[in-house]
Structure formats: structure tokens, C-alpha cells
Amino acid sequence: MLPGPTFDRMPTADNWFAVEWLPLGVLRIWEPHVSRLLRANMFLVRGRDRDLLVDAGMGVCSLRRFLDPYLDKPVVHVLSHAHVDHIGSAHEFADDLVMHAAEADVMRDPPADLELSFDGYTPERKERLRRSGFDVSGALIAASPSPSFDPARWHIPGVEPTRLVGEGDTVDLGDRSFDVLHTPGHSPGSICLLEAATGMLIGGDTIYDGLLIDTLPDSDPQAYAVSMRKLKQLKVSTVHGGHRESFGFEKFQFLIDQYLS
Ligand SMILES: [Zn+2]
Ligand SMILES: [Zn+2]
């Protein structure tokens, strides 16, 4: 355990991951004990020949072991982008790892100075997040995944993507397929996945039902606006965002308009 009050007396979580089944064979997975700021969604989408896993959480606990009962065929693992809250367990799905080239270097060599505590954040960054309504005191986790978990040893292993994708590429599951949309702005390699046959959009951090972030060092608000105008043209029925709950077409349009105004 790290010395200091942050991790002292932290309770142990009974279940690290939470899940819910959504329509069209989509399992939403999230980490309820991760701070709200970084509590990201992962999605497992059932296909005939392959299942699709989008994003990989914080890597505090083994996602592969947790998902094992749900997996009965090969998994293609797509990263919506390479921020820390989305890539933690990517190394556990390294045989078929798909992402945009613009952030492949981050996945190969994730930042080594990551900590499970806000104490390492700069005062400016903390203040910015606080102004946006986030609690940035103490630890990034509210519980420990096991009594033996040592937060000081937490790190994100680097891994080599097996396929780099961009606008116009597809991810094929046999009986269903997803189009890759390159939507830079939140980060340079942000992608969304659109299942044209159903209108299902997996939005990563480009679009979710919460405060959209374009002020990170690798953000580009102008590119973000272009991406949002592109998304607005899409026939979308359901959006599964990188954070928070899923939503439908009207909220999708509202969130885009809100960002653009
Ligand atoms: Zn992000
Ligand atoms: Zn995120």
C-alpha cells in the first residue's frame, strides 16, 4: 500500500465491474469504484464469428478474467482512443487490437507517471476539473479490488496494436459490421463505430451524455467541431458513449448542438 491517508482504510469491493445487457446484444461494462471523472464504459458486442470489445477501463483489475464467462469466440478489441481510463486492460486482448494510428504510440508506451490519486495532478488541472464539477480530492478509486491490491504498483502495460484503422475502415463480426469514423477533437486518434444496419453508434469520448472535454493537452476544439458536424449528419438510433448512460437520437442531436453553440 502507498503510505499516506489516501489509500488507508479503503474498503475492498465485492465486485469490481458492473454490467448491464442492452438491446442488440450489447453488454455495457463499467467500474463503479473508479472516480466519476474516469469511470468509463466498455462494451462487448455479440457477433456471429467474433465479438467486439470496445475499450478497456483502468486496468486496476483483470478485465479478461472478468469477461471470461461471457466469451465463447475470438474477440476483436477496438480502442476508441488511448486515454488512461480506456486502455488499462488492452494488453489482455493483444492478439487482435485495433485503434487509430494517431494514438498508437501512447498505447505502445503509456505514460509511466500515472497514479491512482489526484495528488499527482497539477493544481491548474485540478482547478479546471473542479470548475467542471468533478471531485478531485484523494484517490481515483473509492475501493480496492482485493485486499492484496497495491496501488503503488498499478501501471498500464504497453502493447502493440495489430491493426491501425481510420475513416472508412470496417470492423466485421461476421453477421454485423461497424464503420470506423475518425472523429478527432477530444483527442487526435478518437474514433466512433457506427453499425449502419441498426444506427448504433459507439461514441467513445467524442460523444456521451455529460460534459464533453476539449481542453486536454491533446485536444483540438476546432477539429472537435468538424467532427461534431460530421456526426450530426448520421442516421443514429442509439449512442453508447464512453462515459455515463446510453441515449437515443434526440439527445444525440441535442448534445451535438450544445457543443457547437
Ligand atoms: Zn478521453
Ligand atoms: Zn474517458
Side-chain angles (χ1 to χ4, degrees):
M1 279 291 199
L2 280 184
T6 299
F7 294 97
D8 283 354
R9 296 183 296 280
M10 187 172 271
T12 300
D14 291 333
N15 299 295
W16 184 257
F17 296 101
V19 294
E20 66 172 336
W21 278 107
L22 301 170
L24 300 171
V26 176
L27 183 71
R28 174 184 170 229
I29 307 139
W30 70 99
E31 296 169 289
H33 306 288
V34 169
S35 132
R36 192 166 66 92
L37 176 67
L38 295 173
R39 191 184 306 145
N41 290 320
M42 297 152 262
F43 297 100
L44 183 69
V45 182
R46 290 273 188 237
R48 185 190 63 205
D49 303 337
R50 303 196 292 173
D51 289 337
L52 163 67
L53 173 66
V54 180
D55 288 348
M58 293 286 287
V60 166
C61 208
S62 173
L63 179 62
R64 178 113 220 173
R65 223 174 298 139
F66 173 76
L67 283 181
D68 197 50
Y70 297 93
L71 301 177
D72 58 0
K73 56 178 90 72
V75 175
V76 52
H77 185 28
V78 176
L79 298 176
S80 66
H81 64 306
H83 285 160
V84 54
D85 47 333
H86 299 262
I87 63 168
S89 289
H91 64 103
E92 299 183 312
F93 300 88
D95 19 308
D96 197 353
L97 181 63
V98 178
M99 66 184 299
H100 193 275
E103 289 176 51
D105 277 345
V106 182
M107 190 65 261
R108 290 181 185 114
D109 189 17
D113 57 348
L114 299 170
E115 285 178 37
L116 277 176
S117 162
F118 286 111
D119 298 346
Y121 281 47
T122 63
E124 298 78 42
R125 181 143 188 240
K126 278 207 257 196
E127 183 49 36
R128 210 171 53 219
L129 292 168
R130 208 176 284 122
R131 275 204 307 270
S132 303
F134 293 108
D135 177 10
V136 289
S137 57
L140 297 179
I141 53 176
S144 173
S146 74
S148 61
F149 177 72
D150 181 355
R153 287 168 163 255
W154 173 75
H155 71 290
I156 295 184
V159 57
E160 180 67 36
T162 56
R163 183 184 169 204
L164 300 176
V165 290
E167 182 76 20
D169 286 326
T170 58
V171 176
D172 181 33
L173 307 185
D175 57 341
R176 58 199 299 186
S177 105
F178 288 81
D179 299 324
V180 175
L181 311 168
H182 184 210
T183 52
H186 171 75
S187 69
S190 279
I191 56 173
C192 298
L193 296 177
L194 176 68
E195 187 177 42
T198 63
M200 182 203 298
L201 183 79
I202 301 178
D205 279 3
T206 301
I207 186 154
Y208 54 80
D209 186 10
L211 181 84
L212 300 175
I213 297 176
D214 63 4
T215 52
L216 297 168
D218 60 346
S219 296
D220 179 344
Q222 280 179 338
Y224 209 150
V226 173
S227 294
M228 286 303 221
R229 282 193 282 271
K230 181 168 84 176
L231 289 183
K232 197 167 159 59
Q233 308 307 316
L234 300 177
K235 281 199 177 129
V236 162
S237 57
T238 312
V239 181
H240 302 306
H243 296 262
R244 314 284 191 97
E245 309 284 321
S246 301
F247 51 92
F249 176 76
E250 278 178 25
K251 175 70 74 73
F252 172 69
Q253 293 282 321
F254 172 79
L255 289 166
I256 292 173
D257 290 341
Q258 185 174 256
Y259 181 81
L260 291 173
S261 67

